[in-house]
Amino acid sequence: MKNKLLKTIASITCGLGIILSIPFAATSCGCSVKKDKPLPEEVYKITDKYSRTTLEGFTDEFIENQNDYKDYNTMQIPININNIIVDAFNGKIPPFITKIIFPPEMKDEIYTDYGIFAGNHSITSVVLPGNLKSTTQGIFNDCSNLTSITWDAWNCAYFDFNGFLGVAAKGIVKVTNPIDDEHDSAALLTVLKQKGG
């Protein structure tokens, strides 16, 4: 009787171990979120203009051979950039790129010009740095599927709300390191809805 009881307990314990391990295996195998895979830095055309490291768009080689990069899903702005020219990526981002990230480690203030990311319907989310001190007109104009903005520390000297039209109404706006209560996620969402929507 004692041996039967011990065998039964061992069997139940073993069975529970198998049952409990199944969800973990299922979670790690098929349900993971797609990781960011940034394009390599050599696809960007970078020059020095007006004492600034300027991002002018994609290289001609990249534009001609986009299919070679279909495994990538993210644009990560190079860390040394402090200026992006007008229309740099306007309508030029390939459909397999869904996210734009500005690294938080960028040291200099970043200057943007008109429509730099406009007209790209594949973009669904952007991560902006705290040192983006101005957003000029139409920065994300006509990015119709942009539904997520994460901003390290929203503290713009000049903020063009027309660059974010429609995002606040249907998506997520998050400030990760607000400088005060007037620059947190709720405040940015309110301002976007009032002035941009």
Side-chain angles (χ1 to χ4, degrees):
M1 180 76 170
K2 199 176 195 180
N3 285 341
K4 259 188 178 176
L5 183 60
L6 286 173
K7 280 183 183 176
T8 305
I9 290 169
S11 175
I12 290 169
T13 306
C14 181
L16 278 174
I18 291 167
I19 290 167
L20 289 174
S21 69
I22 290 170
F24 296 109
T27 301
S28 64
C29 291
C31 302
S32 62
V33 177
K34 190 174 182 183
K35 290 185 179 178
D36 297 337
K37 187 171 180 189
L39 287 167
E41 195 167 316
E42 61 264 16
V43 305
Y44 300 110
K45 186 176 182 181
I46 300 170
T47 60
D48 286 320
K49 281 189 177 175
Y50 317 113
S51 310
R52 294 183 183 161
T53 304
T54 300
L55 182 56
E56 296 187 357
F58 292 120
T59 63
D60 292 339
E61 292 80 13
F62 173 76
I63 292 169
E64 292 167 11
N65 301 294
Q66 288 181 22
N67 288 337
D68 295 345
Y69 297 87
K70 281 190 173 178
D71 289 341
Y72 298 89
N73 62 6
T74 303
M75 280 179 63
Q76 181 166 304
I77 304 304
I79 200 166
N80 61 328
I81 295 297
N82 54 16
N83 186 42
I84 306 175
I85 67 164
V86 62
D87 292 330
F89 300 99
N90 190 341
K92 298 171 188 161
I93 297 174
F96 47 86
I97 300 297
T98 60
K99 187 173 191 177
I100 298 169
I101 298 174
F102 284 75
E105 304 85 11
M106 297 179 97
K107 293 176 179 63
D108 297 326
E109 286 188 14
I110 299 158
Y111 299 88
T112 63
D113 218 322
Y114 179 84
I116 57 173
F117 299 115
N120 290 292
H121 305 291
S122 66
I123 300 304
T124 59
S125 67
V126 294
V127 178
L128 303 173
N131 56 350
L132 181 61
K133 296 299 183 186
S134 66
T135 65
T136 51
Q137 191 174 9
I139 187 170
F140 295 109
N141 190 35
D142 197 29
C143 289
S144 56
N145 291 305
L146 178 57
T147 54
S148 173
I149 300 171
T150 303
W151 208 322
D152 180 47
W154 169 47
N155 184 24
C156 264
Y158 177 74
F159 187 78
D160 177 47
F161 298 94
N162 293 319
F164 298 88
L165 284 175
V167 179
K170 62 183 179 182
I172 299 164
V173 177
K174 180 180 178 185
V175 179
T176 53
N177 293 301
I179 58 168
D180 56 38
D181 291 346
E182 293 180 3
H183 291 82
D184 64 7
S185 301
L188 179 56
L189 183 61
T190 300
V191 171
L192 282 171
K193 283 183 175 177
Q194 287 173 347
K195 299 194 177 182

